[in-house]
Amino acid sequence: MNLKQMEYFTAIVGEGSISGAARSLHISQPPLSAQMRQLEEELGVTLFDRGSRAIRLTEAGRLFYNRAVSILEMTKAARKELKQLEEGLLGTLRLGMISSVETQGIITSIASFRRRYPGMSFRISEGNTYQLLDKLTTGQIDAALVRTPFPEESFDCRYLTEEPMLAVGRADFFPADCGPKLPLKDLAALPLIIYRRWESVLGRMFPHPQPEYLCVNDDARTSLMWAASGVGVAVVPASIVNGGQSTPFPLTAKIISSPPLTSTIALVKLKNAGLSAVGQHFFQSFQVPEHGESAG
């Protein structure tokens, strides 16, 4: 008994006749019939009654069919796992993630990648961009999903998707006639809530005098929570606003323009640092849905 005989037998059951299976397998009927007779002799049972038009499984045939299907499925899975092992697509990736990329689209994309490579698993480390870059430098993680701006000289970077930064706060903070966009200069008069990496960037972009920030913190979610309390206007990436986070206070979002303020999600690893095959594959092929797209 061999796998080829099992494949032939399950094809006969699937087609309902030896002639139908011969056509689907692209072989002639006599050798297929001979293989089935040999299989029955080796097993010592009759697997099916041969009618003029169709076969009918015996009780032994039904039992053997169930076992044959299971064995063939396990064989297929084993071949796939061995192929993945040969390609190095088995193992654990230590991945850093900042809070503002922990959106449904990103998580769904990672889960989809994992479904394509079931031998892969993840260990997620969370922190702000600078904390994760430190972990990359010290070898605590293999790669990280972070956001610009950050010092890029020491890292290999894949820039995945760019999105606008938004001003988010109570509706009465914004002019009633400003539309969906707000010029950057108009932010200077607002009680701003920013996370720390944007302080120097905004400092270079704002006209003088510089605004006095209501709150400077290390996390986009913190900025959004402060805005949701109604005390000020947060400057945050669009995806964290559109990511379905519930807020205790109704929020209005305006795209920052003139000049536009944007941030890019980047997948980074330390330059000249070796990655496992699974890590290299993730680094080279992982994709992020564009802003506003579903990752499903």
Side-chain angles (χ1 to χ4, degrees):
M1 180 174 58
N2 56 51
L3 293 175
K4 184 62 69 177
Q5 289 173 322
M6 292 185 189
E7 291 172 357
Y8 288 166
F9 175 68
T10 56
I12 291 170
V13 176
E15 294 293 335
S17 67
I18 293 178
S19 59
R23 286 192 296 272
S24 69
L25 294 168
H26 305 291
I27 61 176
S28 60
Q29 185 171 337
L32 183 56
S33 296
Q35 285 286 335
M36 291 303 97
R37 284 194 298 270
Q38 182 181 346
L39 178 61
E40 288 178 320
E41 289 173 3
E42 291 176 357
L43 294 173
V45 296
T46 299
L47 296 173
F48 48 80
D49 297 324
R50 295 153 175 82
S52 58
R53 294 183 178 273
I55 59 102
R56 183 175 64 84
L57 286 177
T58 63
E59 184 175 353
R62 286 192 293 272
L63 175 61
F64 183 71
Y65 175 76
N66 291 333
R67 295 292 185 269
V69 168
S70 296
I71 290 170
L72 291 173
E73 287 177 349
M74 285 189 292
T75 301
K76 182 179 178 181
R79 285 172 176 161
K80 184 176 180 180
E81 289 176 2
L82 288 170
K83 184 175 186 295
Q84 290 179 343
L85 180 62
E86 181 68 19
E87 294 173 350
L89 297 179
L90 291 172
T92 299
L93 179 67
R94 301 173 301 166
L95 180 65
M97 293 180 66
I98 58 172
S99 64
S100 67
V101 301
E102 292 178 343
T103 60
Q104 182 178 355
I106 297 291
I107 302 301
T108 302
S109 293
I110 292 175
S112 176
F113 191 93
R114 168 63 170 74
R115 284 193 296 272
R116 292 197 300 274
Y117 305 104
M120 182 180 186
S121 61
F122 291 88
R123 295 283 182 133
I124 301 298
S125 295
E126 298 172 288
N128 62 43
T129 290
Y130 284 106
Q131 288 170 335
L132 295 181
L133 296 181
D134 285 342
K135 288 187 176 184
L136 276 175
T137 303
T138 56
Q140 297 178 63
I141 57 177
D142 303 311
L145 283 163
V146 295
R147 277 189 184 280
T148 61
F150 60 86
E152 303 163 31
E153 297 78 13
S154 300
F155 304 96
D156 290 326
C157 305
R158 279 192 63 218
Y159 299 100
L160 301 175
T161 184
E162 184 181 57
E163 62 181 300
M165 297 292 286
L166 304 183
V168 182
R170 295 194 328 250
D172 58 4
F173 279 122
F174 306 110
D177 59 349
C178 73
K181 296 184 178 181
L182 188 70
L184 179 68
K185 63 180 178 62
D186 290 356
L187 289 178
L190 299 177
L192 290 181
I193 304 159
I194 65 171
Y195 52 114
R196 200 172 311 277
R197 287 186 302 114
W198 285 94
E199 188 172 11
S200 60
V201 175
L202 291 172
R204 292 191 298 269
M205 297 179 72
F206 274 127
H208 291 283
Q210 296 290 304
E212 292 187 7
Y213 299 112
L214 168 67
C215 173
V216 177
N217 61 78
D218 291 314
D219 195 296
R221 288 179 300 189
T222 301
S223 295
L224 197 60
M225 289 175 62
W226 275 62
S229 72
V231 299
V233 174
V235 177
V236 293
S239 60
I240 196 171
V241 179
N242 298 329
Q245 280 86 354
S246 60
T247 57
F249 199 100
L251 294 177
T252 295
K254 302 291 184 181
I255 297 173
I256 300 171
S257 63
S258 305
L261 193 63
T262 63
S263 177
T264 300
I265 297 173
L267 180 61
V268 301
K269 66 181 182 69
L270 191 65
K271 280 185 177 178
N272 303 318
L275 273 184
S276 65
V278 69
Q280 287 284 6
H281 189 68
F282 182 84
F283 188 83
Q284 295 299 328
S285 62
F286 180 71
Q287 297 294 325
V288 172
E290 291 297 325
H291 173 57
E293 285 184 6
S294 169

